[in-house]
Amino acid sequence: MAMATALQLSRYLLDVVATGYVNGQDFTGLRDDLNMASLVIVPVANPDGYDHTRNGFRSWRGNRDTVDCDHGVDLNRNHTALHGELADTPVRCAADTTHPGWSAGSEWETQAIESLIAGTLSGHSQEPIAVLDYHAYGNLLIHPAGYKPGTDSIGPRCGLTMADFNCISADHALTRQFFGDTHSNVHVDTVSPGGPFPYFRDSARNILYTASGTLDEHAAHGLSPTLAAAVELPSGCTNFYIECDPNADEIIKEAATDQLRAIARMVSAASSLESTSPSIAYGPQTVGTFASGLWTREFAPASGFDELTARATFTKAVWEHSDTGSLMSSIGGVNRSYESARVGVQYHMYSLTAAAGEFDPLCVPCEIESFNNGMEGIDRGLDCDGCIDLCEPGRMVASNWEMKEGSRGGASDCWWQPIADDGFLLHPGGGAPFGSSTTHCHFTFSVLWGNNGSCDLEVQRQTATNGWETVYSVGYSKPYPSASSTPDDRFSSFVLEANNLLSSGQVPAFRFRSHHAGSGTQVFDPIIFCRGGGLP
């Protein structure tokens, strides 16, 4: 399916250049943008392995380097960045076919792709600004990071190298702006929430399983950082074997059209993605604005990953350029320095953690001003005075949900938990905190997944007609996710867009629903924060 889609995409690009239209859809903007940007398509990244599948070994996964392993090497586990980082990587050359090779970048095919990304491949001297890696199958858009077991949060703390902690990529918001932030059941060609195609979008760890040495991780975090994502393409009712589906041709054409829309968006943004000048970095951005700062649960590096001692941390990403400087904050007139948490392709991510005497981690500040290089911006919560008391039950509207309080890791904590099936937990919306100047809002929360059998969690967002749309939904039977062999009791943080009502001066309400109250799943820190212009 991946090669078929790549070849169909190539054919459609010829149509774009010739007429500006594909299957009646207008791509004249892409045709014009191609005068200033180049696309490189690699239809087959594993030629010997692919040829082997055409000769009776249809499920062959690796390359044909079988000297040290009968299965060959899984090229999407062999890349240099993060090779072998995964603690639960399958035993090399075991029955599982994901053999990562005996050393990083050991295979010729891997070296060729890495040379292309590094701009050192003959005939391709320029590093790409974005990479899409096509796979089959799954209808998924997978973005970094997701390479370590037990740590699948989008929290900010990674240390200064990817090897320290597994968390959100600094460019995660940029990925969301290209592809949308939530699952959509229909094709929606808008930035948010649906994105250009109806695929579920998340990090690899949340969506499937841990994986290291992958192409998208190497592109995003290797020596030549690049905006990257892996796409698990659809394949009808036949899983890997698209040719068995009677509608194979139409499935391939539709998938290629989906990808063409995504590529058109990326090519349109190419100049701003490539620029690192301060005027671009701090200018108005349609692609590149991280939006509001985020409250997510922190995993303290001093003790390693421990969800029991996690506390809310404020994360801010700034459009990166060569003179970013030191990001500072002001809370209640007191200045504090942010700590560098991650350097990305286009962003530098910073975090602000509640330390002794600074602010109460369970009563987060209503307003945080951030500034550097003469620029400043303010992030603010809804209808808030002083601080947002996370342990105040009246802050939420609850039906068959209950606020729980207790001690975790030697510190007081609080969370919400369903106490009966089919209830809801609602975070009220309200007036945009900066009025018409409110540019972006985010709804953030964290989840400690239960381990008592079947579990589900649905997050719904208020619509313009006061209805509800589902923006996140997961159901699983132990373990979660269903494709993973990792046990439950895992902690995840989430960020969902809260911008759909801003044109009317309102911020939408959100609500949680669960139909398996006995699963033990707990929700922490539901917060809406908004930004009103200024420092991106």
Side-chain angles (χ1 to χ4, degrees):
M1 178 62 183
M3 189 193 78
T5 300
L7 291 177
Q8 185 66 51
L9 183 61
S10 302
R11 179 66 183 85
Y12 282 164
L13 283 166
L14 294 178
D15 293 340
V16 168
V17 172
T19 69
Y21 287 82
V22 173
N23 297 331
Q25 297 187 37
D26 187 349
F27 286 98
T28 53
L30 173 59
R31 181 189 59 188
D32 296 340
D33 289 335
L34 285 173
N35 290 320
M36 297 177 289
S38 298
L39 299 176
V40 177
I41 297 177
V42 181
V44 187
N46 181 12
D48 293 347
Y50 174 70
D51 185 64
H52 195 54
T53 70
R54 296 171 58 86
N55 293 287
F57 299 90
R58 199 67 186 91
S59 297
W60 187 266
R61 179 185 180 100
N63 68 358
R64 294 294 293 145
D65 179 5
T66 59
V67 174
D68 297 315
C69 181
D70 291 342
H71 306 295
V73 175
D74 184 343
L75 299 175
N76 202 43
R77 300 294 187 275
N78 184 242
H79 283 281
T80 302
L82 308 173
H83 184 268
E85 284 292 336
L86 176 59
D88 62 354
T89 296
V91 177
R92 284 174 166 80
C93 213
D96 194 300
T97 56
T98 54
H99 172 51
W102 299 104
S103 62
S106 61
E107 306 306 297
W108 290 346
E109 301 92 337
T110 307
Q111 293 166 21
I113 294 296
E114 291 187 3
S115 295
L116 177 63
I117 292 175
T120 58
L121 190 67
S122 176
H124 295 281
S125 59
Q126 185 173 3
E127 298 175 17
I129 61 169
V131 171
L132 290 177
D133 183 22
Y134 294 135
H135 295 258
Y137 68 103
N139 294 68
L140 305 173
L141 189 286
I142 302 172
H143 57 74
Y147 66 92
K148 284 189 177 182
T151 51
D152 64 338
S153 169
I154 57 168
R157 178 73 62 175
C158 299
L160 298 182
T161 67
M162 284 295 295
D164 292 341
F165 293 90
N166 183 33
C167 70
I168 187 174
S169 163
D171 299 295
H172 173 62
L174 197 60
T175 304
R176 285 209 326 273
Q177 288 183 311
F178 281 126
F179 302 111
D181 66 310
T182 55
H183 179 63
S184 171
N185 293 318
V186 296
H187 287 79
V188 181
D189 196 20
T190 56
V191 173
S192 176
F197 42 73
Y199 297 0
F200 197 95
R201 294 170 284 281
D202 209 331
S203 67
R205 184 62 187 90
N206 280 345
I207 235 173
L208 286 175
Y209 38 68
T210 44
S212 60
T214 62
L215 173 56
D216 60 309
E217 295 280 12
H218 176 84
H221 306 296
L223 296 177
S224 303
T226 302
L227 183 69
V231 178
E232 293 282 357
L233 295 161
S235 61
C237 61
T238 54
N239 301 335
F240 290 105
Y241 311 116
I242 183 63
E243 71 275 15
C244 301
D245 196 297
N247 298 313
D249 288 348
E250 292 307 313
I251 294 170
I252 291 168
K253 290 177 180 178
E254 183 176 19
T257 306
D258 288 338
Q259 299 308 314
L260 193 60
R261 283 196 294 269
I263 287 170
R265 181 175 299 172
M266 301 179 89
V267 172
S268 175
S271 60
S272 60
L273 287 173
E274 196 174 31
S275 174
T276 56
S277 69
S279 61
I280 294 295
Y282 292 118
Q285 297 290 320
T286 56
V287 174
T289 303
F290 187 80
S292 56
L294 312 172
W295 283 102
T296 58
R297 282 258 161 169
E298 175 63 279
F299 305 121
S303 57
F305 174 76
D306 180 3
E307 73 269 14
L308 301 185
T309 59
R311 292 294 182 269
T313 294
F314 186 73
T315 303
K316 184 75 176 175
V318 176
W319 186 256
E320 184 68 289
H321 65 88
S322 57
D323 187 29
T324 298
S326 298
L327 189 69
M328 296 292 295
S329 72
S330 176
I331 301 175
V334 178
N335 291 348
R336 298 175 176 85
S337 296
Y338 280 90
E339 183 176 354
S340 176
R342 168 66 58 78
V343 176
V345 180
Q346 295 294 327
Y347 289 105
H348 193 127
M349 182 176 284
Y350 297 86
S351 64
L352 194 64
T353 307
E358 289 196 349
F359 59 86
D360 183 348
L362 297 179
C363 200
V364 299
C366 288
E367 183 174 287
I368 297 178
E369 183 179 7
S370 304
F371 53 92
N372 75 333
N373 283 340
M375 299 296 296
E376 60 183 306
I378 300 176
D379 295 277
R380 185 181 295 164
L382 270 63
D383 300 323
C384 175
D385 182 21
C387 69
I388 301 172
D389 186 350
L390 301 179
C391 299
E392 169 52 52
R395 194 173 69 89
M396 306 287 287
V397 178
S399 172
N400 286 332
W401 283 66
E402 186 174 73
M403 167 71 75
K404 303 282 189 178
E405 296 188 74
S407 177
R408 291 178 177 273
S412 297
D413 207 347
C414 57
W415 60 93
W416 289 93
Q417 197 163 332
I419 56 176
D421 295 349
D422 300 318
F424 65 84
L425 176 67
L426 182 143
H427 187 301
F434 299 97
S436 60
S437 298
T438 305
T439 56
H440 292 84
C441 298
H442 278 139
F443 178 54
T444 62
F445 59 96
S446 299
V447 177
L448 180 63
W449 297 100
N451 61 356
N452 297 325
S454 295
C455 180
D456 71 314
L457 187 68
E458 183 178 15
V459 184
Q460 298 178 319
R461 177 174 54 196
Q462 180 186 8
T463 68
T465 57
N466 290 321
W468 296 96
E469 59 181 339
T470 297
V471 291
Y472 178 80
S473 179
V474 63
Y476 67 92
S477 178
K478 185 180 181 180
Y480 165 77
S482 57
S484 172
S485 59
T486 304
D488 290 1
D489 274 337
R490 296 186 302 108
F491 204 84
S492 307
S493 294
F494 295 89
V495 179
L496 299 175
E497 301 274 358
N499 301 321
N500 60 312
L501 302 183
L502 285 185
S503 61
S504 63
Q506 294 293 306
V507 179
F510 286 80
R511 69 181 183 184
F512 300 92
R513 300 184 68 95
S514 175
H515 304 293
H516 294 92
S519 65
T521 293
Q522 302 168 3
V523 172
F524 295 76
D525 314 335
I527 304 171
I528 296 178
F529 239 58
C530 298
R531 184 169 72 84
L535 183 71

